[in-house]
Amino acid sequence: MSSKTLVQFLTKNLNELRNQGLYNEIDPVQGPNGPIIQIDGKRLINLSSNNYLGLATDERMKQAAIMAIEKYGVGAGAVRTINGTLDIHVQLEEKLAEFKGTEAAIAYQSGFNCNMAAISAVMDQHDAILSDELNHASIIDGCRLSKAKIIRYNHSDMDDLRMKAKEATESGQYNKVMVITDGVFSMDGDIAKLPEIIEIAEQYDLITYVDDAHGSGVLGKGAGTVKHFGLSDKIDFQIGTLSKAIGVVGGYVAGRKKLIDWLKVRSRPFLFSTALTPGDTGAIICALQLLMESTELHDQLWKNGDYLKRGLKKLGFDIGNSETPITPCIIGEEKKTQLFSKRLYEEGVYAKSIVFPTVPAGKGRVRNMPTAAHTKEMLDEALAAYGKVGKEMGII
Ligand code: PMP
């Protein structure tokens, strides 16, 4: 027996979403999530994953995971503070600190979890958070969970941030004020203006928090957005995910030792949720080692990103103002965007439409994420499909 009110609620709202073209179907991928994937038996060029460096399917990573499973088994067995901390978790955190150039680091089970954990461990109802309006959902939810006053500033608008930082600090209403931003904004591929943010933070004594989910492995020769600007000692919280360029799963905070010590006793997902699995942990350590040893994958990613961008632009598409390999193709209206993506699928390209509420209404796009694992032939094949569908739909 299910509740009548619940069934009515679900039916009404699901129908509404479907009618507005806002309900995205989920397609199971049959096999590895590499540059070529198979869905429903169909071969597709995959331009929709965050597997930026191709590490999710890399042989060296698989071997590292297998070795860790052989040694430790498949599960950590408990939360970190009970007896779930294996020595491999400690090695991972030491590697993360080395990778980010900080005193210490703490790992979480996902990037989403990490933002929920870190923000609410430090900020409370007597504080304020200045948050870029385009920050990721996990940042927004982490801010809400903290109960701090959330003050949104216009996207990357430094005058607006300065004015709001001044107001918040001079009001005397708040104990602490934090500024929080994505390092790279995933829907447009633009980079946060960290040097200006730091200057404002120093002027108003703001705590600085950068979520570099899409910058790590991509900018700063792989080390991330903070390193890209040479600001490693100026950011209090360097957040990242281990699920995108690193190719596995998990999240982390890198920063000063005192901050990490605090998160180990006060962040709830660390205290109450089971640790990363040994296999994941072994593979992540392998990825960090690979990134610190060579920039080969990073360089290939940029080469592929530039190639795809040039190709799409030449065809006449609006690719926005991306400063990273993330390449949006802005179509506009939601239904048209979804139809465009569907036609690309039929032509053998998997590039998902992203529509409201993930991006503002009327700014629907097909977002392309080239990776280091794509070949020039694959990208040419994708560009040919873009050209064909774009002309057919009168977009170019
Ligand atoms: N932060 C940002 C900026 C993200 O883009 C994402 C993933 N889309 C996350 C956090 C969440 O990371 P994860 O997938 O590892 O939970």
Side-chain angles (χ1 to χ4, degrees), residues 76-229:
V79 301
R80 295 283 301 273
T81 46
I82 301 199
N83 85 337
T85 295
L86 308 173
D87 58 9
I88 198 172
H89 291 126
V90 179
Q91 286 161 29
L92 166 64
E93 288 169 342
E94 285 168 2
K95 257 303 165 243
L96 283 167
E98 188 188 337
F99 178 56
K100 287 284 153 182
T102 57
E103 282 175 13
I106 179 172
Y108 293 94
Q109 304 85 345
S110 78
F112 202 104
N113 223 349
C114 175
N115 279 326
M116 304 294 279
I119 303 169
S120 62
V122 170
M123 305 302 279
D124 63 29
Q125 67 273 29
H126 307 296
D127 300 325
I129 303 175
L130 299 154
S131 175
D132 188 292
E133 65 175 336
L134 293 191
N135 277 342
H136 186 256
S138 58
I139 298 181
I140 297 168
D141 287 4
C143 291
R144 285 182 183 149
L145 188 65
S146 76
K147 300 199 178 76
K149 168 84 179 165
I150 301 166
I151 304 168
R152 294 198 329 163
Y153 61 91
N154 297 335
H155 176 51
S156 279
D157 179 340
M158 293 300 108
D159 291 336
D160 195 38
L161 173 61
R162 187 173 282 104
M163 186 187 80
K164 289 176 174 158
K166 185 173 190 304
E167 262 173 31
T169 48
E170 289 181 357
S171 73
Q173 270 180 289
Y174 308 110
N175 290 345
K176 308 191 273 315
V177 183
M178 173 185 271
V179 56
I180 189 160
T181 182
D182 275 25
V184 170
F185 292 88
S186 64
M187 296 304 145
D188 293 287
D190 54 324
I191 304 173
K193 295 176 180 159
L194 290 189
E196 288 96 323
I197 291 177
I198 293 299
E199 186 208 309
I200 297 167
E202 285 183 342
Q203 188 176 355
Y204 295 104
D205 188 28
L206 311 178
I207 299 167
T208 48
Y209 188 114
V210 177
D211 176 349
D212 208 22
H214 294 272
S216 288
V218 175
L219 288 171
K221 288 280 169 202
T225 310
V226 173
K227 192 73 177 287
H228 166 78
F229 287 114

Side-chain angles (χ1 to χ4, degrees), residues 11 29 54 104 186 213 258 296 298 302 308 356 379:
T11 311
V29 175
S186 64
K258 259 190 195 149
E296 194 186 332
H298 159 278
W302 279 85
L308 184 69
F356 180 80
L379 297 176

